[in-house]
């Protein structure tokens, strides 16, 4: 909404433009009227809309055409004043003044006009019969007010309507020629309807209507008023009321009716409550509320955010199978101007056997979004109506900014629930299989047939009996790992292929270059342990390298492992991220890691033996 209003009064000489301004300011008819009134400013606290208003007079004798053109350009609304007793001043409205104001303006960009019939005290009847054809001819005319500067009739109303034409404009909402809402208005109101339809049945029930009414206007409707609204819609539409509730068409009709009856402010109150500006775009303040994230801090959902996301999932899981099909996902995001999630999301989170995003996968993807790009995440929450549905000031209420990582290290504990692990290694070491196994997919037979790829995988793990989110990011050392910032994470997983003699050398090089002097803990993973192991072309064996640098021994991995075996490995990564100060801090700790590695190796060997035995039985 505009922060101030500039009203320009135009019209033929002697129609009473200056008298109208003087009567408004002095609250009495002036005995002496100057040729032109000086610009006046009415303070915000004395205007109905609480917005400062500037009123500008025009005198043909005192001002040039150039001054007039500049004033028209600066004006938010123009009041064309005519004398109700003088037909010539009425004729000049359409032949002179409206063409002067909007002659070159395109449809939709015209300055709103208020017609002002002054000197009504000198005429018994109304001039409206003559004025109506002009109003029908020019769509930019908002309304016509007959008034009298002499007896102060409708003076305040005149300037109220002028202010209203600026603050609650008709042009963005309604096409008076077609007598229907404009496409952008329909799109905005449709989004509002879908957000307000909290059970996703395409109908606004009495409870949902009252919730909507209270959110926009502060108070619910009385039961009889609610019935009256539905009756009006039912009488005027064929499909506006269904199952005693309001359909989308009924909701759109109701707003059309508000506008046709001059109650634009009702529709504008609704639109602005849901974040829209005068051009029916969602404002930056609404979509991108300020959230300061200091260096070393991360962003994650708090309990309020998780509650909202769970309600959202439940609303759109129409078949209640604890998963969102592509159609259900499109339905969920229909309030967004674009589809935020592509096919790659299904590769990054847990899905069902059919490839649908599970409830856990849904929460995982939002967690990933909040961690990687909080501003885009806030934008999506805004489209989905988070501040309105939760009655919070903004989407930031759903987010927690964690304390700096250095503070976590000093205190030797972390309150964070989301950790990033970079899986680093040469191409072909099995990183993709490592990520896909993490989200419950077997690369060999469960990969999506599409070409979708995500370098990320996210799932939940248990750390000290608490649920944490672990994000794995796949990094190819030959291509991506070029600068120090690429090394930053909560835990580095250096992966090498036991069947490739050159593989470990990459890991050793990366460790020495980026992690040897770093506080970031490292875990080495020996992949493809189901294949014959070969000697690594490095100065020492992986086990010796780990011992020298006080790292835990390499943990074995194979995509053929049983799920329980792999789960232990991912839990270990999350545990290391959550307690980085314990990484290689003492001999006893190294001994502990050795026991963990040996335990994992034994389970791995047993798991692989079982796998082979089952294969022979087949």
């Amino acid at each position: 909404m505009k922060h101030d209003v500039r009203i320009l009064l135009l019209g033929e000489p002697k129609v009473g433009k200056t008298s109208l301004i003087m009567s408004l300011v002095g609250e009495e008819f002036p005995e002496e009227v100057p040729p032109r009134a000086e610009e006046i400013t009415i303070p915000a606290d004395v205007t109905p809309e609480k917005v400062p208003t500037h009123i500008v007079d025009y005198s043909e004798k005192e001002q040039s055409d150039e001054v007039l053109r500049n004033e028209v350009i600066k004006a938010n609304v123009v009041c064309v004043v005519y004398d109700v007793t003088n037909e010539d001043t009425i004729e000049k409205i359409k032949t002179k003044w409206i063409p002067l104001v909007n002659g070159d303006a395109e449809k939709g960009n015209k300055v709103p006009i208020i017609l002002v019939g002054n000197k009504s005290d000198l005429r018994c009847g109304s001039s409206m019969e003559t004025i109506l054809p002009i109003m029908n001819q020019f769509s930019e005319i908002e309304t016509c007010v007959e008034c009298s500067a002499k007896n102060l009739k409708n003076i305040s109303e005149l300037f109220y309507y002028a202010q209203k034409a600026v603050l609650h404009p008709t042009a963005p909402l309604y096409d008076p020629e077609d007598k229907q809402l404009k496409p952008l208005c329909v799109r905005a109101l449709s989004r509002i309807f879908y957000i307000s339809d909290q059970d996703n049945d395409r109908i606004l029930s009495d409870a949902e209507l009252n919730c909507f009414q209270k959110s926009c206007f502060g108070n619910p409707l009385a039961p009889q008023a609610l019935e009256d609204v539905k009756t009006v819609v039912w009488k005027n539409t064929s499909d506006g009321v269904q199952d005693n509730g309001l359909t989308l068409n009924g909701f759109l009709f109701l707003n059309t009716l508000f506008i046709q009856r001059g109650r634009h402010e009702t529709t504008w109150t609704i639109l602005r409550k849901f974040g829209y500006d005068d051009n029916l775009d969602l404002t930056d303040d609404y979509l991108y509320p300020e959230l300061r994230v200091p260096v070393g801090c991360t962003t994650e959902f708090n309990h309020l955010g998780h509650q909202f996301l769970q309600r959202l999932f439940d609303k759109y899981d129409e078949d209640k199978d604890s998963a969102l099909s592509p159609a259900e996902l499109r339905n969920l995001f229909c309030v967004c101007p674009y589809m935020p999630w592509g096919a790659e999301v299904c590769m990054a989170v847990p899905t069902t056997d059919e490839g649908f995003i599970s409830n856990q996968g849904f929460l995982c993807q939002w967690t990933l979004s909040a961690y990687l790009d909080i501003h885009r995440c806030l934008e999506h929450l805004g489209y989905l109506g988070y501040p309105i549905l939760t009655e919070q000031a903004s989407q930031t209420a759903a987010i927690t900014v964690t304390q700096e990582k250095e503070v976590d290290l000093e205190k030797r504990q972390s309150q964070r629930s989301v950790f990033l692990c970079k899986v680093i290694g040469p191409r072909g070491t099995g990183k993709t299989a490592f990520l896909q196994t993490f989200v419950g997919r077997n690369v060999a037979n469960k990969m999506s047939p599409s070409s979708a790829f995500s370098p990320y995988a996210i799932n939940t793990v248990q750390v000290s009996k608490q649920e944490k989110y672990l994000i794995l990011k796949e990094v190819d050392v030959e291509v991506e790992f070029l600068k120090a910032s690429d090394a930053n994470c909560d835990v580095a997983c250096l992966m090498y292929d036991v069947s490739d003699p050159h593989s470990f050398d990459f890991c050793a090089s990366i460790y020495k270059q980026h992690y040897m002097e770093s506080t970031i803990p490292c875990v080495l993973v020996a992949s493809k342990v189901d294949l014959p192991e070969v000697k690594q072309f490095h100065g020492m064996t992986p086990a010796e390298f780990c011992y020298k640098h006080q790292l835990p021994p390499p943990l074995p991995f194979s995509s053929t492992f049983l799920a329980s075996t792999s789960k232990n490995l991912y839990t270990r990564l999350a545990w290391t991220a959550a307690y980085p100060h314990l990484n290689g801090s003492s001999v006893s700790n190294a001994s502990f890691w050795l026991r963990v590695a040996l335990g994992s190796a034994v389970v791995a060997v047993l798991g692989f033996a079982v796998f082979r035995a089952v294969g022979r039985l087949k």
Side-chain angles (χ1 to χ4, degrees):
M1 191 164 72
K2 291 187 181 298
H3 299 297
D4 61 355
V5 175
R6 189 173 181 85
I7 303 171
L8 173 63
L9 274 67
L10 299 178
E12 294 299 297
K14 308 296 184 183
V15 294
K17 301 185 296 296
T18 306
S19 297
L20 288 169
I21 296 173
M22 303 288 282
S23 293
L24 174 73
V25 176
E27 297 185 348
E28 62 179 2
F29 187 69
E31 293 183 5
E32 294 185 10
V33 180
R36 182 176 70 87
E38 294 297 320
E39 178 181 328
I40 65 165
T41 298
I42 303 175
D45 57 355
V46 297
T47 63
E49 297 291 344
K50 305 301 179 187
V51 173
T53 301
H54 312 279
I55 301 176
V56 181
D57 193 8
Y58 169 71
S59 171
E60 203 170 88
K61 287 184 179 180
E62 291 198 355
Q63 293 172 293
S64 65
D65 291 345
E66 184 179 353
V67 170
L68 173 59
R69 282 193 295 272
N70 288 334
E71 288 296 349
V72 169
I73 290 170
K74 290 189 289 184
N76 301 125
V77 58
V78 172
C79 293
V80 178
V81 184
Y82 66 93
D83 181 346
V84 297
T85 67
N86 187 332
E87 292 290 335
D88 184 54
T89 62
I90 295 175
E91 184 66 22
K92 289 289 181 66
I93 293 172
K94 61 182 180 180
T95 61
K96 177 181 178 181
W97 293 111
I98 292 181
L100 187 148
V101 174
N102 283 326
D104 298 326
E106 296 179 0
K107 183 179 178 181
N109 293 320
K110 295 181 178 181
V111 179
I113 290 174
I114 306 291
L115 298 185
V116 182
N118 193 24
K119 305 186 183 180
S120 65
D121 56 298
L122 301 178
R123 177 171 174 163
C124 294
S126 171
S127 63
M128 290 306 296
E129 189 175 331
T130 311
I131 291 297
L132 277 173
I134 300 175
M135 292 181 69
N136 291 330
Q137 182 181 350
F138 297 97
S139 61
E140 63 263 46
I141 299 175
E142 293 279 335
T143 190
C144 177
V145 182
E146 289 191 340
C147 59
S148 169
K150 188 169 187 179
N151 61 23
L152 306 184
K153 177 187 175 184
N154 287 342
I155 300 297
S156 297
E157 286 79 0
L158 149 66
F159 290 101
Y160 167 70
Y161 282 120
Q163 193 180 58
K164 180 179 170 182
V166 177
L167 301 179
H168 310 298
T170 306
L173 307 181
Y174 185 74
D175 190 329
E177 295 175 10
D178 297 335
K179 293 183 171 54
Q180 62 183 15
L181 298 174
K182 290 187 174 179
L184 282 178
C185 183
V186 170
R187 187 178 75 176
L189 289 173
S190 296
R191 169 180 169 265
I192 292 168
F193 177 89
Y194 293 131
I195 289 173
S196 304
D197 175 20
Q198 296 183 30
D199 58 6
N200 195 33
D201 64 352
R202 283 77 167 175
I203 296 170
L204 294 184
S205 65
D206 287 359
E208 289 168 339
L209 278 168
N210 263 329
C211 187
F212 164 80
Q213 175 77 13
K214 187 177 178 182
S215 177
C216 293
F217 303 102
N219 295 298
L221 284 171
Q224 188 55 52
L226 199 57
E227 290 304 314
D228 291 345
V229 166
K230 289 188 287 186
T231 300
V232 169
V233 175
W234 178 75
K235 286 182 176 179
N236 290 276
T237 64
S238 60
D239 58 353
V241 177
Q242 185 178 322
D243 295 336
N244 199 37
L246 213 59
T247 65
L248 175 59
N249 284 340
F251 185 70
L252 294 175
F253 167 78
L254 204 56
N255 281 278
T256 304
L257 198 62
F258 290 147
I259 295 165
Q260 289 174 341
R261 293 183 178 180
R263 290 173 56 192
H264 314 77
E265 65 273 17
T266 301
T267 297
W268 274 116
T269 300
I270 294 168
L271 290 164
R272 286 173 179 142
K273 176 64 181 179
F274 280 78
Y276 289 95
D277 63 15
D278 288 353
N279 297 315
L280 296 185
D281 293 318
L282 290 169
T283 66
D284 285 349
D285 286 343
Y286 175 82
L287 285 179
Y288 311 105
E290 185 177 356
L291 182 67
R292 184 173 172 270
V293 184
V295 175
C297 300
T298 58
T299 45
E300 56 189 53
F301 280 99
N302 55 31
H303 70 284
L304 294 176
H306 279 290
Q307 287 172 4
F308 174 77
L309 294 175
Q310 189 58 57
R311 287 199 302 270
L312 191 68
F313 181 90
D314 293 339
K315 172 181 174 179
Y316 288 98
D317 180 18
E318 295 186 40
D319 54 9
K320 304 305 174 188
D321 63 347
S322 296
L324 294 180
S325 67
E328 289 170 334
L329 203 59
R330 285 194 299 271
N331 192 17
L332 187 152
F333 285 121
C334 73
V335 294
C336 301
Y338 59 90
M339 183 62 180
W341 294 2
E344 72 283 352
V345 169
C346 291
M347 302 301 296
V349 302
T351 58
T352 64
D353 290 339
E354 295 86 358
F356 298 168
I357 294 178
S358 65
N359 195 338
Q360 183 181 353
F362 181 77
L363 297 175
C364 282
Q365 178 58 28
W366 277 106
T367 301
L368 182 65
S369 174
Y371 187 94
L372 296 180
D373 191 346
I374 186 58
H375 298 294
R376 183 55 59 89
C377 180
L378 293 175
E379 175 193 343
H380 295 159
L381 288 174
Y383 288 134
L384 293 163
Y386 178 87
I388 295 97
L389 293 175
T390 60
E391 299 181 359
Q392 297 290 339
S394 76
Q395 301 90 287
T396 58
I399 302 298
T400 292
V401 178
T402 65
Q403 66 183 7
E404 292 183 34
K405 193 174 176 181
E406 289 183 4
V407 177
D408 284 348
L409 285 169
E410 288 174 9
K411 293 185 175 181
R412 299 197 166 193
Q413 62 179 359
S414 175
Q415 299 300 316
R416 289 189 295 158
S417 61
V418 185
F419 299 99
L420 175 64
C421 170
K422 289 193 173 174
V423 183
I424 305 159
R427 286 183 179 177
T429 53
K431 297 187 298 297
T432 300
F434 188 71
L435 267 65
Q436 290 303 301
T437 301
F438 182 47
V439 291
R441 275 187 293 275
N442 185 298
V443 180
N445 51 31
K446 276 197 176 182
M447 286 286 282
S448 169
S450 71
S451 58
F453 169 77
S454 173
Y456 293 97
I458 177 171
N459 207 341
T460 55
V461 291
Q462 290 290 320
V463 176
S464 300
K465 297 182 180 180
Q466 290 184 325
E467 186 175 75
K468 305 289 185 181
Y469 286 91
L470 179 64
I471 301 170
L472 303 183
K473 183 184 180 184
E474 178 177 341
V475 180
D476 279 329
V477 293
E478 298 101 319
V479 179
E480 300 176 40
F481 215 76
L482 303 175
K483 51 188 183 296
S485 60
D486 290 327
N488 192 36
C489 55
D490 296 307
V491 57
C493 173
L494 302 177
M495 181 176 286
Y496 69 97
D497 178 355
V498 299
S499 65
D500 180 355
H502 302 282
S503 189
F504 179 73
D505 202 40
F506 280 103
C507 293
S509 174
I510 291 298
Y511 177 79
K512 291 176 181 177
Q513 184 179 354
H514 294 286
Y515 296 108
M516 193 161 67
E517 304 298 329
S518 168
T519 57
I520 297 172
C522 290
V523 174
L524 268 74
V525 172
S527 71
K528 302 185 183 180
V529 294
D530 54 305
L531 299 178
E533 185 174 359
V534 298
K535 182 180 179 181
Q536 295 292 321
F537 291 165
H538 187 70
M540 59 184 76
T541 67
E544 291 170 339
F545 181 90
C546 291
Y547 182 80
K548 176 183 177 181
H549 295 284
Q550 293 188 307
L551 295 173
L555 299 177
F557 170 75
S558 168
S559 59
T560 63
F561 278 0
L562 298 175
S564 58
T565 308
S566 301
K567 183 179 179 181
N568 292 333
L569 203 164
Y570 301 119
T571 300
R572 185 50 51 193
L573 289 172
W575 192 91
T576 306
Y579 302 103
H581 59 282
L582 297 180
N583 186 59
S585 59
S586 68
V587 176
S588 61
N589 186 48
S591 300
F592 168 77
W593 273 102
L594 185 59
R595 291 196 299 273
V596 169
L598 289 173
S600 296
V602 169
V603 174
V605 171
L606 288 173
F608 185 60
V610 170
F611 172 78
R612 278 190 163 175
V614 171
R616 284 197 294 270
L617 287 173
K618 289 181 179 179

